[in-house]
Amino acid sequence: MWNEQDWQALAEHAQRCRQQPIAALIAAEPGRNTAFARRLGPLYCNFARQHLDARALSDMQRRLLDSGIRTKVRELFDGARINRSEDRAVLHTALRSDLGVTAEARSAHAGARDVLDSMEALTERLKSRGITDILSVGIGGSDLGPRLVLNALAEFGNGGFNVHFLSSADGMYLDRYMNALDPEKTAVLLVSKSFGTQETLINGAALKAWVGDSERVFAITANGARAEAFDVPPHNILPIWDWVGGRFSVWSAVAFPVVLGLGMPVFREFLRGAAAMDAHFLEAPIEDNLVHWQALMSVWNRNAMGYGTQGIIPYDERLELLPAHLQQVIMESLGKSVTVDGEDCPQATSPVLMGASGNPSQHSFFQYLQQGIGTVPLDILGVIKSGHCQPTNHHFILANLLAQAESLANGQPSEDPQRRYPGNRPSTVMLLDELTPYALGMLLALYEHSVFVQSQIWGINAFDQWGVELGKNIATGLMPYVEGEQTDFSGVDPVTRELLGVMHRN
């Protein structure tokens, strides 16, 4: 955790850097265009249009190193119980790489390899039974990551199954799937680490009755006993572990829908890309470490510049779900107001994350990004080599990516204030050579590790999520009132009481 002197130094750097616009910083530092860029395999990141100078960056890197970040990273990979509020290790890296040196880390990696074999065996069993469709039922980390990967990599494989996702407890999509799919040819995957997620269990109960055969109901969970009590056969259960947080679980059996939709070779390449980022994060010096660069830029924008929002803008429709996935990875991890010691955070933590695919969003919220009063730093992502056969379309997309990054930073003066672009709006441009399984794995692991580094700077626990519990607990208590079983509203919050009355009068 950074101390008061670290934050004071950051404020002094910010005061100096604000005196020059981004364009002037670039002009004042010859070679910045390349000095502020780093490449790892198929991933290239250019940070030259961030609103800080080389002096500020160098000092932040030194302070990060002095704060003991290398020890903390080693603890992450080795399975130390860094999730202190839940007294758990955090070993999602063991799902894809064998870089931990402790017995716990090595055991976790061996277990992950075994589950890959189990997924392959289950795939063959499903094929032998004539299953054509898979309905994956989960929410949050049990849904967002696999949905993103399957959508992004659809052209890279065919696992032989049509995969569908159901997350919300809203019954509309449940009805649509039950009306459209053949229950005799559909397998239901219930994905819940605790197997206590109400949305998943409500949908699962309806679907279990619909398929009419528990042999076509599968569970991916860390609580096999609860799954069996739900009448899921033991041989239909794939394990995950308490050291895998839901938002970091796309590397586990939670991604069984990806295997079924795209095939195991694609999933293994995805894991291999993440493992390459793991090794880079663990071993690369801080001045060349992409994870540290990305994390420090995020802290700079949040704390030095005071920007409360960050945007993720992919200029590739295959990545349209990336902002939603990263909203959970970043905001559920970093949306904390107390330190690991239970003290109030002395600094602001997570930004509000927003975003959408680039070309459509230019016709919606980019007006705000370009001319609004607030500044939203962006990560702008592109893919150099398209996955399609329409070169004009792809060149148009890339030209717009470049143009938006340039216009946000440089702006444009005008005598007409309505046509004036203020500029001085920071962005990082991230380019993938191609959108392959390997490259996508590398990209997602970069953001995961950046979250960890930011949490260490702020002194918060990135791996619990107590903030999601209160509303869920209140909802459980309100169910009898909503269902009409409880009619005495006298003990209910007065506004909720009024709303319940409106619901029951209709």
Short mmCIF file of all heavy atoms in Angstrom, two decimals, residues 105-140:
data_model
loop_
_atom_site.label_atom_id
_atom_site.label_comp_id
_atom_site.label_asym_id
_atom_site.label_seq_id
_atom_site.Cartn_x
_atom_site.Cartn_y
_atom_site.Cartn_z
N ALA A 105 0.15 -24.49 -4.75
CA ALA A 105 0.02 -24.02 -6.13
C ALA A 105 0.16 -25.17 -7.12
O ALA A 105 -0.59 -25.25 -8.11
CB ALA A 105 1.06 -22.94 -6.41
N ARG A 106 1.09 -26.05 -6.86
CA ARG A 106 1.29 -27.18 -7.77
C ARG A 106 0.11 -28.15 -7.74
O ARG A 106 -0.30 -28.69 -8.76
CB ARG A 106 2.60 -27.89 -7.43
CG ARG A 106 3.83 -27.06 -7.82
CD ARG A 106 5.11 -27.65 -7.32
NE ARG A 106 6.27 -26.89 -7.82
CZ ARG A 106 7.49 -26.99 -7.34
NH1 ARG A 106 7.75 -27.83 -6.33
NH2 ARG A 106 8.47 -26.27 -7.85
N SER A 107 -0.44 -28.35 -6.55
CA SER A 107 -1.62 -29.20 -6.44
C SER A 107 -2.80 -28.59 -7.18
O SER A 107 -3.57 -29.30 -7.85
CB SER A 107 -1.97 -29.40 -4.96
OG SER A 107 -3.18 -30.11 -4.83
N ALA A 108 -2.95 -27.27 -7.07
CA ALA A 108 -4.04 -26.59 -7.78
C ALA A 108 -3.89 -26.75 -9.28
O ALA A 108 -4.87 -27.00 -10.00
CB ALA A 108 -4.06 -25.11 -7.40
N HIS A 109 -2.67 -26.63 -9.78
CA HIS A 109 -2.46 -26.76 -11.22
C HIS A 109 -2.74 -28.19 -11.68
O HIS A 109 -3.35 -28.40 -12.74
CB HIS A 109 -1.03 -26.37 -11.58
CG HIS A 109 -0.76 -26.41 -13.04
ND1 HIS A 109 -1.35 -25.55 -13.94
CD2 HIS A 109 0.05 -27.23 -13.79
CE1 HIS A 109 -0.93 -25.81 -15.17
NE2 HIS A 109 -0.09 -26.84 -15.10
N ALA A 110 -2.33 -29.16 -10.88
CA ALA A 110 -2.61 -30.56 -11.24
C ALA A 110 -4.11 -30.82 -11.27
O ALA A 110 -4.62 -31.51 -12.17
CB ALA A 110 -1.92 -31.48 -10.23
N GLY A 111 -4.84 -30.26 -10.31
CA GLY A 111 -6.29 -30.41 -10.31
C GLY A 111 -6.93 -29.78 -11.53
O GLY A 111 -7.88 -30.33 -12.11
N ALA A 112 -6.40 -28.65 -11.95
CA ALA A 112 -6.93 -27.97 -13.14
C ALA A 112 -6.71 -28.83 -14.38
O ALA A 112 -7.59 -28.92 -15.25
CB ALA A 112 -6.27 -26.61 -13.29
N ARG A 113 -5.56 -29.46 -14.49
CA ARG A 113 -5.29 -30.34 -15.63
C ARG A 113 -6.25 -31.53 -15.65
O ARG A 113 -6.74 -31.94 -16.70
CB ARG A 113 -3.85 -30.84 -15.59
CG ARG A 113 -2.80 -29.77 -15.88
CD ARG A 113 -1.47 -30.39 -16.32
NE ARG A 113 -1.04 -31.44 -15.39
CZ ARG A 113 -0.23 -31.25 -14.36
NH1 ARG A 113 0.22 -30.03 -14.10
NH2 ARG A 113 0.13 -32.25 -13.57
N ASP A 114 -6.52 -32.06 -14.48
CA ASP A 114 -7.46 -33.19 -14.40
C ASP A 114 -8.85 -32.79 -14.89
O ASP A 114 -9.54 -33.58 -15.55
CB ASP A 114 -7.54 -33.71 -12.97
CG ASP A 114 -6.28 -34.42 -12.51
OD1 ASP A 114 -5.46 -34.80 -13.39
OD2 ASP A 114 -6.09 -34.57 -11.29
N VAL A 115 -9.26 -31.59 -14.54
CA VAL A 115 -10.59 -31.14 -14.95
C VAL A 115 -10.67 -30.95 -16.47
O VAL A 115 -11.72 -31.19 -17.07
CB VAL A 115 -10.99 -29.86 -14.20
CG1 VAL A 115 -12.26 -29.25 -14.77
CG2 VAL A 115 -11.19 -30.16 -12.72
N LEU A 116 -9.58 -30.55 -17.09
CA LEU A 116 -9.58 -30.48 -18.55
C LEU A 116 -9.88 -31.85 -19.15
O LEU A 116 -10.66 -31.97 -20.11
CB LEU A 116 -8.23 -29.97 -19.06
CG LEU A 116 -7.87 -28.52 -18.76
CD1 LEU A 116 -6.46 -28.21 -19.29
CD2 LEU A 116 -8.88 -27.56 -19.37
N ASP A 117 -9.29 -32.89 -18.59
CA ASP A 117 -9.56 -34.25 -19.06
C ASP A 117 -11.02 -34.62 -18.82
O ASP A 117 -11.67 -35.26 -19.66
CB ASP A 117 -8.65 -35.25 -18.35
CG ASP A 117 -7.18 -35.07 -18.70
OD1 ASP A 117 -6.90 -34.51 -19.78
OD2 ASP A 117 -6.33 -35.49 -17.90
N SER A 118 -11.56 -34.22 -17.67
CA SER A 118 -12.97 -34.51 -17.36
C SER A 118 -13.91 -33.82 -18.34
O SER A 118 -14.93 -34.39 -18.75
CB SER A 118 -13.29 -34.09 -15.93
OG SER A 118 -12.52 -34.81 -14.99
N MET A 119 -13.57 -32.58 -18.71
CA MET A 119 -14.40 -31.87 -19.67
C MET A 119 -14.41 -32.58 -21.03
O MET A 119 -15.45 -32.68 -21.68
CB MET A 119 -13.93 -30.43 -19.82
CG MET A 119 -14.31 -29.54 -18.66
SD MET A 119 -14.14 -27.76 -19.00
CE MET A 119 -12.37 -27.55 -18.82
N GLU A 120 -13.26 -33.08 -21.43
CA GLU A 120 -13.21 -33.81 -22.70
C GLU A 120 -14.05 -35.08 -22.63
O GLU A 120 -14.78 -35.41 -23.59
CB GLU A 120 -11.75 -34.16 -23.04
CG GLU A 120 -10.93 -32.94 -23.46
CD GLU A 120 -9.58 -33.32 -24.03
OE1 GLU A 120 -8.84 -34.04 -23.33
OE2 GLU A 120 -9.27 -32.90 -25.16
N ALA A 121 -13.99 -35.78 -21.52
CA ALA A 121 -14.78 -37.01 -21.37
C ALA A 121 -16.28 -36.70 -21.38
O ALA A 121 -17.07 -37.42 -22.02
CB ALA A 121 -14.40 -37.73 -20.08
N LEU A 122 -16.68 -35.65 -20.69
CA LEU A 122 -18.09 -35.28 -20.67
C LEU A 122 -18.57 -34.85 -22.05
O LEU A 122 -19.71 -35.11 -22.44
CB LEU A 122 -18.33 -34.16 -19.67
CG LEU A 122 -18.54 -34.55 -18.20
CD1 LEU A 122 -18.84 -33.31 -17.36
CD2 LEU A 122 -19.65 -35.57 -18.05
N THR A 123 -17.71 -34.19 -22.80
CA THR A 123 -18.06 -33.78 -24.16
C THR A 123 -18.40 -35.00 -25.01
O THR A 123 -19.41 -35.00 -25.74
CB THR A 123 -16.89 -33.00 -24.80
OG1 THR A 123 -16.63 -31.82 -24.04
CG2 THR A 123 -17.22 -32.61 -26.23
N GLU A 124 -17.58 -36.02 -24.93
CA GLU A 124 -17.84 -37.24 -25.71
C GLU A 124 -19.13 -37.91 -25.25
O GLU A 124 -19.88 -38.45 -26.07
CB GLU A 124 -16.65 -38.19 -25.59
CG GLU A 124 -15.38 -37.67 -26.24
CD GLU A 124 -15.60 -37.26 -27.69
OE1 GLU A 124 -16.22 -38.06 -28.45
OE2 GLU A 124 -15.18 -36.15 -28.06
N ARG A 125 -19.41 -37.90 -23.96
CA ARG A 125 -20.64 -38.52 -23.46
C ARG A 125 -21.87 -37.77 -23.99
O ARG A 125 -22.87 -38.39 -24.36
CB ARG A 125 -20.61 -38.54 -21.94
CG ARG A 125 -21.82 -39.23 -21.32
CD ARG A 125 -21.45 -40.00 -20.05
NE ARG A 125 -20.87 -39.15 -19.03
CZ ARG A 125 -21.59 -38.47 -18.13
NH1 ARG A 125 -22.91 -38.53 -18.18
NH2 ARG A 125 -21.00 -37.73 -17.21
N LEU A 126 -21.78 -36.44 -24.02
CA LEU A 126 -22.90 -35.66 -24.56
C LEU A 126 -23.13 -35.95 -26.04
O LEU A 126 -24.27 -36.08 -26.49
CB LEU A 126 -22.64 -34.17 -24.34
CG LEU A 126 -22.81 -33.66 -22.91
CD1 LEU A 126 -22.20 -32.27 -22.75
CD2 LEU A 126 -24.28 -33.63 -22.52
N LYS A 127 -22.04 -36.06 -26.77
CA LYS A 127 -22.18 -36.36 -28.20
C LYS A 127 -22.83 -37.73 -28.41
O LYS A 127 -23.67 -37.91 -29.30
CB LYS A 127 -20.81 -36.31 -28.88
CG LYS A 127 -20.23 -34.92 -29.03
CD LYS A 127 -18.85 -34.95 -29.68
CE LYS A 127 -18.30 -33.54 -29.87
NZ LYS A 127 -16.94 -33.55 -30.46
N SER A 128 -22.44 -38.69 -27.59
CA SER A 128 -22.96 -40.05 -27.75
C SER A 128 -24.44 -40.13 -27.44
O SER A 128 -25.12 -41.07 -27.89
CB SER A 128 -22.19 -41.01 -26.85
OG SER A 128 -22.51 -40.80 -25.47
N ARG A 129 -24.96 -39.16 -26.70
CA ARG A 129 -26.38 -39.18 -26.33
C ARG A 129 -27.24 -38.38 -27.30
O ARG A 129 -28.44 -38.23 -27.08
CB ARG A 129 -26.55 -38.63 -24.92
CG ARG A 129 -25.93 -39.50 -23.84
CD ARG A 129 -26.51 -39.19 -22.48
NE ARG A 129 -27.96 -39.40 -22.44
CZ ARG A 129 -28.74 -39.04 -21.43
NH1 ARG A 129 -28.22 -38.44 -20.37
NH2 ARG A 129 -30.04 -39.26 -21.46
N GLY A 130 -26.65 -37.85 -28.35
CA GLY A 130 -27.42 -37.12 -29.34
C GLY A 130 -27.80 -35.71 -28.94
O GLY A 130 -28.73 -35.12 -29.51
N ILE A 131 -27.10 -35.15 -27.97
CA ILE A 131 -27.37 -33.76 -27.56
C ILE A 131 -26.88 -32.80 -28.64
O ILE A 131 -25.78 -32.94 -29.17
CB ILE A 131 -26.66 -33.46 -26.23
CG1 ILE A 131 -27.18 -34.36 -25.11
CG2 ILE A 131 -26.80 -31.99 -25.85
CD1 ILE A 131 -28.64 -34.19 -24.80
N THR A 132 -27.71 -31.83 -28.97
CA THR A 132 -27.34 -30.83 -29.98
C THR A 132 -27.18 -29.43 -29.39
O THR A 132 -26.43 -28.61 -29.91
CB THR A 132 -28.41 -30.77 -31.08
OG1 THR A 132 -29.68 -30.44 -30.49
CG2 THR A 132 -28.51 -32.11 -31.82
N ASP A 133 -27.91 -29.16 -28.29
CA ASP A 133 -27.93 -27.81 -27.72
C ASP A 133 -27.53 -27.84 -26.25
O ASP A 133 -27.90 -28.76 -25.51
CB ASP A 133 -29.32 -27.19 -27.87
CG ASP A 133 -29.64 -26.85 -29.30
OD1 ASP A 133 -30.13 -27.75 -30.03
OD2 ASP A 133 -29.38 -25.70 -29.70
N ILE A 134 -26.81 -26.82 -25.85
CA ILE A 134 -26.37 -26.65 -24.48
C ILE A 134 -26.95 -25.34 -23.97
O ILE A 134 -26.78 -24.29 -24.60
CB ILE A 134 -24.83 -26.59 -24.38
CG1 ILE A 134 -24.20 -27.82 -25.02
CG2 ILE A 134 -24.40 -26.42 -22.93
CD1 ILE A 134 -24.52 -29.13 -24.35
N LEU A 135 -27.64 -25.38 -22.83
CA LEU A 135 -28.15 -24.17 -22.21
C LEU A 135 -27.36 -23.95 -20.92
O LEU A 135 -27.52 -24.68 -19.94
CB LEU A 135 -29.64 -24.30 -21.92
CG LEU A 135 -30.34 -23.06 -21.35
CD1 LEU A 135 -30.05 -21.82 -22.18
CD2 LEU A 135 -31.85 -23.29 -21.26
N SER A 136 -26.47 -22.96 -20.93
CA SER A 136 -25.61 -22.66 -19.78
C SER A 136 -26.31 -21.63 -18.91
O SER A 136 -26.60 -20.51 -19.35
CB SER A 136 -24.26 -22.13 -20.26
OG SER A 136 -23.42 -21.85 -19.17
N VAL A 137 -26.56 -22.00 -17.65
CA VAL A 137 -27.32 -21.16 -16.73
C VAL A 137 -26.38 -20.70 -15.61
O VAL A 137 -25.90 -21.49 -14.81
CB VAL A 137 -28.50 -21.94 -16.12
CG1 VAL A 137 -29.34 -21.02 -15.23
CG2 VAL A 137 -29.35 -22.56 -17.22
N GLY A 138 -26.09 -19.41 -15.59
CA GLY A 138 -25.22 -18.83 -14.57
C GLY A 138 -25.33 -17.33 -14.65
O GLY A 138 -25.95 -16.78 -15.57
N ILE A 139 -24.75 -16.64 -13.69
CA ILE A 139 -24.83 -15.19 -13.68
C ILE A 139 -23.51 -14.62 -13.18
O ILE A 139 -22.76 -15.29 -12.46
CB ILE A 139 -26.02 -14.71 -12.80
CG1 ILE A 139 -26.38 -13.25 -13.09
CG2 ILE A 139 -25.75 -14.94 -11.33
CD1 ILE A 139 -27.73 -12.83 -12.54
N GLY A 140 -23.19 -13.38 -13.56
CA GLY A 140 -21.93 -12.77 -13.15
C GLY A 140 -20.76 -13.50 -13.76
O GLY A 140 -20.70 -13.75 -14.96
#
